Amino acid sequence: MDGCMRKARILAGQHLTIPAACREVCRDLNGIQAQLASAAAHALRIRATDRLPESGFGKCWTLRGTMHLFALEDLPLFLHKGRRRALRAVDEMTGDEYVTLERKRLFASAILEAVGKGVESRDALRAYCAERGMTSQEAQSVFNSWGGTIRCLAEEGKLCYRPCQEKAFQLCPPFEPMEAEEAELEMARRYFTNYGPATRKDAAYFFGAPQKRMRAWLDALPVKAACIEGHECFWIETGQTQYPDIPGCLLLAGFDQLMLGYEKKESPFMPEESLRGIFSLAGMVSPAILLHGSVVGRWKKNGGRVELTAFRTLRPAERKRVLGAVERTFDEVKTVVWM
């Protein structure tokens, strides 16, 4: 397998050249990164054959402790027993500098009660707790902007976000968490099936785990291995031997799985000169322009205006391909500007 075949296989596995239903896309990719709801919506738009259903999906802190969109049937997988979490005191059911344990339990029960009654927005839940005596100081913990009691309830599998632009919540359906070893191996199987061929370093970057654990997973999985362009890569066969050609141009989402799935300095899709233009020092991952399988710039949409920033000089034919991708991807664009 050469580098071009590796890219073609990955793009197919990521459903960028072989679209699938939202449920299949979310399952195969171990969820869709979703701290920006608009980015998650775009990631599905360029991969899915259907619209995201109004029920059966949720958002929660899963891989790497970041927000992901997934099918609720995968709650046992992502909220498995013994998962490793780096939580603050405000994110756990314990007393902290703002609120006592007794009061935190009171407001946690109030939140679950309110959501059960159909009170779902963050602002409405905050008002509901305020009516029950929550002070402004206690709110700094209970409704902490980076998690708080909401995060605690989500980690316990009782509450999760609805898969919509607004900050709204839903009760989680009852489920039995998977054992840690079984869950981790299933996530690794999905990764090497749909992100592979990938290196151990790629997988370690994606899961936020040491390479030693990747070696253990690879020993337990039916992987194939090959040296591709100087990198030892692993993948799990699907039975498919032919893949669609690498597209002329794709407009990836912000925090796209294709960008997050590989060690950024060794990604097969990321030239060195494009790295800092996509991955900012502040932790943002900009929407990328993928031209013939390589990142050449980024894009930004604001209403009917799309701004394009190239990281190198593009030939007229290349610019034409990018503009064609904009036309195919968006219906409501009125102005396209090269920055």
Side-chain angles (χ1 to χ4, degrees), residues 53-333:
E54 294 183 0
S55 62
F57 288 79
K59 293 188 295 186
C60 192
W61 292 269
T62 60
L63 297 176
R64 305 179 300 276
T66 53
M67 188 69 65
H68 279 71
L69 169 69
F70 56 90
L72 292 177
E73 63 198 46
D74 269 338
L75 276 168
L77 175 70
F78 295 124
L79 300 187
H80 60 266
K81 297 177 182 177
R83 63 190 181 282
R84 297 164 181 83
R85 304 174 296 170
L87 299 177
R88 305 164 302 162
V90 295
D91 304 326
E92 296 187 290
M93 193 52 67
T94 183
D96 57 55
E97 60 183 307
Y98 303 108
V99 63
T100 66
L101 174 57
E102 181 182 9
R103 296 280 286 174
K104 184 180 287 190
R105 285 174 173 166
L106 172 68
F107 298 126
S109 296
I111 290 169
L112 295 176
E113 175 185 76
V115 175
K117 293 179 178 178
V119 180
E120 298 176 346
S121 76
R122 186 182 181 88
D123 289 343
L125 290 172
R126 184 170 183 143
Y128 192 88
C129 288
E131 291 173 358
R132 282 147 185 80
M134 182 184 69
T135 66
S136 58
Q137 175 175 303
E138 290 173 330
Q140 292 184 63
S141 171
V142 178
F143 289 93
N144 185 274
S145 58
W146 294 100
T149 302
I150 297 292
R151 173 77 182 264
C152 178
L153 292 172
E155 293 286 349
E156 292 177 352
K158 296 177 180 177
L159 191 74
C160 66
Y161 284 89
R162 287 195 176 279
C164 57
Q165 297 282 352
E166 299 77 22
K167 289 186 176 180
F169 301 90
Q170 59 185 327
L171 298 179
C172 293
F175 69 94
E176 180 63 32
M178 294 172 64
E179 296 295 334
E181 184 177 355
E182 178 188 6
E184 290 181 353
L185 202 59
E186 170 59 18
M187 288 188 285
R189 183 193 65 77
R190 295 182 185 187
Y191 176 83
F192 285 105
T193 300
N194 300 289
Y195 289 75
T199 68
R200 280 190 291 264
K201 189 180 291 187
D202 291 332
Y205 177 78
F206 178 75
F207 287 105
Q211 290 191 52
K212 182 178 180 180
R213 193 173 305 152
M214 303 307 111
R215 295 188 185 95
W217 292 346
L218 287 168
D219 287 343
L221 291 169
V223 296
K224 298 285 187 179
C227 184
I228 304 175
E229 296 185 329
H231 299 287
E232 186 180 19
C233 296
F234 305 88
W235 70 96
I236 295 176
E237 291 286 8
T238 62
Q240 187 169 347
T241 57
Q242 300 293 321
Y243 304 98
D245 293 337
I246 296 173
C249 185
L250 288 172
L251 301 181
L252 301 178
F255 295 94
D256 198 273
Q257 300 302 102
L258 192 68
M259 296 292 95
L260 296 174
Y262 309 90
E263 206 288 321
K264 55 190 175 184
K265 293 182 180 179
E266 297 183 5
S267 168
F269 303 96
M270 181 67 69
E272 183 178 352
E273 65 270 17
S274 298
L275 177 60
R276 194 50 63 208
I278 298 299
F279 289 86
S280 78
L281 295 175
M284 295 297 293
V285 183
S286 297
I289 301 171
L290 192 73
L291 186 66
H292 301 301
S294 293
V295 173
V296 299
R298 63 174 180 258
W299 63 273
K300 180 181 179 181
K301 185 175 181 295
N302 186 7
R305 174 188 170 100
V306 173
E307 299 174 354
L308 304 170
T309 301
F311 301 150
R312 63 168 175 80
T313 301
L314 299 182
R315 298 188 298 273
E318 292 177 321
R319 286 190 170 222
K320 185 176 180 180
R321 280 196 178 277
V322 176
L323 293 175
V326 172
E327 293 177 1
R328 291 192 306 273
T329 306
F330 304 110
D331 298 327
E332 69 281 16
V333 171

